[in-house]
Amino acid sequence: MAENILEIKNLKKYFPVKGQNTEFVKAVDGVSLNIKRGEVLGLVGESGCGKSTLVNTVLCLTQPTEGEVIFDGKNMFSLSKKEMRETRKDIQIVFQDPFWSLNPRMIVKDIVAEPLSVQTKMNSSEISKKVEELLEMVGLPREGAYKYPHEFSGGQRQRIAIARALSLMPKLVVLDEPTSSIDVVSQAQILSLINDLKEKFNLTYIVISHDLGVVSYMSDKIAVMYLGKLVEYGETDLIFNKPMHPYTEALFAAIPDIDTDIDNIKTLEGNVPSSINPPPGCKFHTRCQFAKEICSRTEPETVILDDGRTIACHKINNTNF
Amino acid sequence: MNTYNSWKKIKSKYAQLRLNIYLLKKNTLTKWALYGVVLLTLIALIVPIILPEDVHVTQDANPRDKLLPPSSDHLFGTDELGRDIFKRVLLGTNISLRTAVLAVGAAILIGVPIGAVAGYYGGFTDELLMRLTDIFLGFPPLLLAIVIAAFLGPDLNNATLAIALSWWPWYTRIVRGQAVSLTERPFVKAAQAMGTPSARIILKHIIPNCIAPVIVQASMDIGGVILTIAAISFLGLGAQPPTPEWGLMVSTSRNYFLNAWWYSIFPGLAIFFTVLIFNLLGDGLREILDPKTRKN
Amino acid sequence: MTESKVPYLHIKDLKVNFKTHEGTKKILDIDEIKIDKGQAYGIIGESGTGKTVLALTILKLLEMPPGEIASGRILLDGDDLLKKTDKQMEREVRGKKISMIFQDPMSTLNPVYTVGDQLINVLVKNQNLKKKEAKVKALEMLKLVDLPDPERCMDKYPHELSGGQRQRVIIALALSCGAEFIIADEPTRNLDVTIQAGILKLIKNLQRTLNVTVLFIANNPGLISSTCDNAAVLYKGEIVEQGNTREVLKNPKHPYTFVLLNAIPKSKNEKINLSRIAITDVEENLDGACIYYNKCIKKTDDCKTLQKNIKISETHTVKCCLAEEN
C-alpha cells in the first residue's frame, strides 16, 4: 500500500458573518480525508457545499479555523515562510475559469515559465527549452509560446494552465472544476490528457467537480460533500454502482442521459439550506425523501462500512431505521 | 531560432495593435484628436529649435510695435512689449505640454505602486495607505500650489511638483480598486500557490493589468493639468515673466483687455483647444482599451 | 410529419454573416428547420457554432452591424419575421409570440425591482390588465413554474433567490405575456445537476400542458435527448444532422455527432475512447468542401467537393456524403 501524501484531519473553516462575531458560515465543518500517492480523489457537491474552501485551506491560501493538514509528512500550518515556499512547488492548482486563470498581459511562454523562474535557478535558455517541452506535452504547438492567452480557445487555455501546473512536477495537483466551462469535445480531450499525464508521471490529483460524469471518470475515490461535511466517501466503483447516502443517490439520479427520459429523472426538492444556520441534526434531512424524526434531532455519526466506504446517515447506521 | 522567436513575439503584439488601430480608425473624433496631439507634440518639439528663443522672450523686444492687432506680419498681434503673440503661443506649447507630462508622469509613478500595494495586501496596509491618500485628496491642487509656492517661492517647477503631489491620489484610487478585484482572480491565486514572492506578483500580475484605465485617466488628466498650470501661472505662482506660458500671458493681458482683445483671446484659445483635444483622446482611448464601453 | 402541414416555425436558407476588421465571416448557413406547434426542438452545438446567433436572429435582436442577414426566410405561422420592421417586432412578436430565456438569469432580471413588481409590470403593459388582476395573474404564473412559497417570492428581489429559482422566474416572465414559443438558450448552464433536472422537467411539463413550442439550445446532447422531440446538430453554423431526437442520438450518422456523443464521460469503467473522438487538425481552406472536412477522421477525397443532405429515414437527414441512403 502506498503511503498517504495528504492527510486532512478534522479540518474546519468558519467565516464570520459580516458585522457579527457570534454567527459563522461553516464552509468546511470537520472534514477528514486521506489521499495516497498516485491516487485520484474526486470531490463532488453542489455549489456552496464548501469544495473550493476546502481546497483553498489545504493549499494554505486561507488559514483554517481548526484541524490539521499533513502534506508529505509536514504539517502545513506550522511551516516557516521559507519552508512554505519550498512546499508550494509540490502542490499546484488548475482553476476552473480558463479566462482569468492566465494573466492576460503575459505571453504563454512567460506564464508557463513563471513557476520555473520563481522556484528554480534555471537560466533563460534552459527555461525556453523546458517550456517548449511542456507545451508539446500538453499538445500545443511550440509557436503558441509567443502568443497571448486570449488568442486561444477555452480548451487550449486549460492546456496552458496544465502545462504551468506540471512545470515543477508537483507531488499533488488540484484540479478545480477543470472542464466546467468548456465544451464536451474539448472536455473529453482535456480529461484524457490529464489521465495520460497521471499515468506517465505517477501524479496525484484532487479533482473537484459538480459533474458526476467527470468525477467518476477521473477518480479512484469519491468524496461527496454537503454543507461543509462529508456525507459519503469511498471507492469510485462502489459509490458509482451503489450509492448509499440518499444525497449521493439523488445526485446520480439527476444526470440527464441519452438513455433516460426526462420523466424518469428524479429531482431533489428544495435548495441547499443556508450554511449560516444549518438545519439541526442531519444537514440533509430537509431535502431527504427518507428523513425521519431522528434525522432532524441528532447528527448521524460517520461510520466505516465493510466495503471500506465512510458514510454519515441514520438510515445506514441504524438497523431499525 | 531566437530571432525567429522574437519575430513571433512582435507579430503577436502587432495583431493586437492592428485591432486597436482598426477601432481607432472607426472612431473619427478620436482619430482627429490623435492627429491633434501629434501636431501639438511636433510644435512643442520643433518650435523651440527653429525660433531663436531669446529675441521673443527678452523684456523689451520691439517697444515700437507694442499692442498691434493681428495682421499678416503678426498673425495673433503683439503684446505690450511688442512681442509676437503667435510665436509666444507656439513656444508656450512646449512649456504646457512638458510640465503637464512631467506632472502626470510623476503622479503615476507615485500613485500606481501605492495603489497596487494597498489593493494587493488589503487589511491594515490598505487602510493606512488609503487614509494617507485621502489626506492628500483633501487639498485642492491650487491650494497646495499656493502653499508650496509660499514655501519654495513661485516657480514653474515648484508648480509642477505641487500638481504631481496633489494628483497622485487619483491614480492610487483607480489602481487600488483594480488591484482588489485582481487579487481575487485565479491567475493571482495561481501565482500565490506556486510560491511567487509578493513583490513579483505586484509587478508582473497586478500592475500590468491595471495600466489601461491609468492610461485613459492620464490622457484626460493632461488636459486638466494644463488648465491647472495655466491657473497657477495666472495667479502669479507658477511661471514667471518673461516665460511664454499661456496662463501667464492671459494673466498679463487682463490689463489691456479693453483695447487689445487679441492678447487674451489667442492664448486662451490655445489652452481651450489643447485641453479639448486631450479630453477627446482620453474618451476615445477608454473606448478602445476598455472593451466594456465598446459599442458593437 | 405530413407534407401538407405548415410548420409553426419554418427557417429556410438562412445565411448570417459577421463583418469584422478581418473581413466578412460566415456565421450561420441553415438550409431548413421546421418546428411544429407544441413541439420541443433541440439544437446541439459547441460554443461558437452560432447557436445564440440563431436565437437572436429569430427575434431580430442581432446587432447589425457587425451582423448581417445575407438571405433567407424565418416564417412564424406563415409570417416572415425578417420582413418585419423593428417596431412591428416589438409590438407583435417579441414577448407576445416569442420569448427568450437566457443563460444567465441574474442579468435578465432587473435587480432593483421585486419579482412581483417585474411580473406585474409586464402583465399590465402587455395584456392591458388592471394592477389588481395583474397581481393575481402574477401569483398564478409563479405557481405555474413551481416556485416554492410563491406569495413570499413576490416580494423578493432577484438576488435573494437561488440560481434555479431565478431561472423559474424568468420562465414565468417569458410565459406571462402569452408567448407560445420559447427559445431557451442553455437555460441550465452554471446550475447544479439537481437544480438542472428540475428546470428541464418544468420546461417539458409546460410544453405538454400549455402546448408551448420550445427551441432548446445546449451543448450537452444529454439535455436535448431528455427534453426534445426533434433535434439538430450544429457545426460552424451549418446543420450537419437533424431529425427525430432518438434516431439522431441513438443512431448518429455524421462523424461529428458521433464525436459529440462519445465525448461525454460516464464512468471509470467506460474510458473515453479517444480514437473515437479523435480529430485531425489540418487547416485547409477549401471552398465547397464539407464543413467538417478539416476535423473529420473519415474524410475521403469526395468530401472536398461533395456536399449533400442524405435522407436516412423520413425523420432523419444527415449532411455527410459518406452516409448511406436508406
Side-chain angles (χ1 to χ4, degrees), chain B residues 59-293:
Chain B
Q59 289 279 358
D60 41 5
N62 281 310
R64 276 183 303 128
D65 298 342
K66 69 177 178 183
L67 293 177
L68 292 177
S71 65
S72 54
D73 284 343
H74 305 286
L75 271 180
F76 290 178
T78 61
D79 65 5
E80 82 281 13
L81 296 168
R83 295 173 296 196
D84 186 306
I85 293 177
F86 178 63
K87 289 173 183 165
R88 279 177 68 81
V89 166
L90 286 185
L91 274 172
T93 316
N94 180 300
I95 294 167
S96 289
L97 247 53
R98 194 180 60 209
T99 42
V101 168
L102 271 178
V104 171
I108 289 175
L109 281 182
I110 306 170
V112 170
I114 295 181
V117 167
Y120 177 70
Y121 285 104
F124 178 71
T125 320
D126 185 23
E127 207 54 34
L128 184 79
L129 289 173
M130 290 323 283
R131 291 302 80 79
L132 182 78
T133 311
D134 285 344
I135 292 171
F136 272 89
L137 274 177
F139 292 106
L142 270 177
L143 192 66
L144 204 63
I146 292 168
V147 172
I148 291 180
F151 198 70
L152 301 169
D155 173 35
L156 191 59
N157 290 335
N158 292 344
T160 314
L161 183 70
I163 289 172
L165 283 182
S166 58
W167 227 281
W168 65 264
W170 297 104
Y171 293 100
T172 308
R173 283 210 159 174
I174 295 173
V175 171
R176 186 221 166 234
Q178 294 267 321
V180 166
S181 67
L182 283 169
T183 307
E184 291 302 311
R185 294 289 184 199
F187 70 83
V188 174
K189 290 254 175 255
Q192 289 170 342
M194 66 181 76
T196 315
S198 302
R200 190 187 158 104
I201 293 183
I202 291 173
L203 272 176
K204 285 242 168 185
H205 296 286
I206 304 281
I207 290 180
N209 279 293
C210 19
I211 221 68
V214 168
I215 292 174
V216 172
Q217 185 64 36
S219 59
M220 304 268 245
D221 278 356
I222 286 195
V225 169
I226 289 175
L227 217 52
T228 313
I229 298 227
I232 290 172
S233 301
F234 183 86
L235 292 174
L237 297 165
Q240 296 301 309
T243 321
E245 205 281 332
W246 294 339
L248 184 64
M249 288 162 77
V250 175
S251 171
T252 327
S253 75
R254 274 179 310 169
N255 306 325
Y256 311 96
F257 185 70
L258 286 177
N259 39 17
W261 55 269
W262 56 90
Y263 193 177
S264 29
I265 287 290
F266 288 110
L269 280 178
I271 296 172
F272 169 75
F273 276 111
T274 313
V275 173
L276 180 71
I277 281 170
F278 275 102
N279 281 350
L280 286 177
L281 182 73
D283 263 341
L285 280 182
R286 182 171 57 205
E287 215 159 281
I288 290 164
L289 294 176
D290 183 0
K292 268 171 282 173
T293 60

Side-chain angles (χ1 to χ4, degrees), chain A residues 70-284:
Chain A
I70 314 256
F71 172 73
D72 209 15
K74 289 172 282 195
N75 188 336
M76 291 286 277
F77 302 126
S78 59
L79 294 177
S80 71
K81 238 183 166 172
K82 205 178 151 221
E83 289 170 316
M84 191 60 173
R85 262 195 70 191
E86 278 290 302
T87 313
R88 288 237 184 268
K89 88 180 162 201
D90 293 329
I91 310 180
Q92 291 295 324
I93 180 161
V94 174
F95 288 95
Q96 160 182 14
D97 181 352
F99 295 91
W100 279 107
S101 61
L102 309 172
N103 185 342
R105 302 258 165 205
M106 276 162 93
I107 59 168
V108 170
K109 183 190 163 211
D110 293 339
I111 290 172
V112 177
E114 185 157 38
L116 297 169
S117 45
V118 168
Q119 292 278 10
T120 67
K121 292 194 174 65
M122 291 164 108
N123 66 34
S124 71
S125 67
E126 283 169 339
I127 287 181
S128 289
K129 226 183 118 206
K130 178 82 183 166
V131 168
E132 275 178 13
E133 279 171 31
L134 286 165
L135 288 180
E136 214 156 288
M137 183 179 85
V138 296
L140 283 174
R142 282 175 174 199
E143 302 90 77
Y146 298 95
K147 287 185 179 170
Y148 284 92
H150 70 86
E151 296 173 66
F152 293 92
S153 69
Q156 287 173 317
R157 283 187 223 214
Q158 214 54 313
R159 285 170 194 265
I160 298 169
I162 292 167
R164 172 176 66 185
L166 294 187
S167 58
L168 295 166
M169 275 306 143
K171 292 176 181 155
L172 176 69
V173 183
V174 178
L175 302 154
D176 186 357
E177 304 264 9
T179 58
S180 74
S181 42
I182 50 186
D183 290 312
V184 279
V185 177
S186 325
Q187 164 172 294
Q189 290 165 332
I190 297 282
L191 291 181
S192 61
L193 170 74
I194 296 174
N195 257 353
D196 290 347
L197 292 170
K198 179 201 169 264
E199 302 289 314
K200 202 164 158 194
F201 302 108
N202 192 26
L203 297 164
T204 311
Y205 290 147
I206 299 180
V207 181
I208 305 175
S209 183
H210 67 264
D211 185 331
L212 284 145
V214 170
V215 167
S216 339
Y217 171 71
M218 295 290 296
S219 38
D220 304 312
K221 280 186 178 170
I222 292 185
V224 184
M225 265 183 102
Y226 188 75
L227 275 181
K229 287 202 176 270
L230 280 189
V231 293
E232 192 167 1
Y233 167 46
E235 300 280 334
T236 302
D237 292 343
L238 279 175
I239 293 188
F240 187 78
N241 293 326
K242 194 171 170 250
M244 287 176 89
H245 196 283
Y247 179 60
T248 319
E249 233 174 294
L251 277 182
F252 278 103
I255 312 175
D257 195 318
I258 294 162
D259 304 308
T260 25
D261 196 77
I262 185 75
D263 300 317
N264 298 330
I265 291 177
K266 286 201 195 90
T267 55
L268 203 51
E269 296 301 320
N271 287 295
V272 185
S274 150
S275 47
I276 301 173
N277 282 312
C282 172
K283 285 180 175 177
F284 185 59

Side-chain angles (χ1 to χ4, degrees), chain A residues 46-47 183-185 187-189 192 195 213 216-219 237 240 256-259 262-263 265 267 271, chain C residues 46-47 162 165 192 194 196-198 200-201 208 223 225-226 250 260-261 263 265 267-268 271-272 274 277 279:
Chain A
E46 288 170 277
S47 48
D183 290 312
V184 279
V185 177
Q187 164 172 294
Q189 290 165 332
S192 61
N195 257 353
S216 339
Y217 171 71
M218 295 290 296
S219 38
D237 292 343
F240 187 78
D257 195 318
I258 294 162
D259 304 308
I262 185 75
D263 300 317
I265 291 177
T267 55
N271 287 295
Chain C
E46 294 177 85
S47 48
S162 70
Q165 290 172 335
D192 284 310
T194 50
Q196 166 174 290
L200 292 181
K201 279 197 160 182
R208 280 179 191 154
L223 298 185
S225 78
S226 53
K250 286 278 179 195
L260 266 184
L261 289 171
S267 77
K268 191 99 189 149
K271 286 269 178 208
I272 297 172
L274 262 193
I277 68 156
I279 48 175

Side-chain angles (χ1 to χ4, degrees), chain A residues 287-301:
Chain A
R287 298 165 83 190
C288 182
Q289 53 171 330
F290 305 107
K292 283 194 176 171
E293 199 251 331
I294 182 174
C295 301
S296 56
R297 238 179 327 113
T298 42
E299 202 170 322
E301 268 178 47

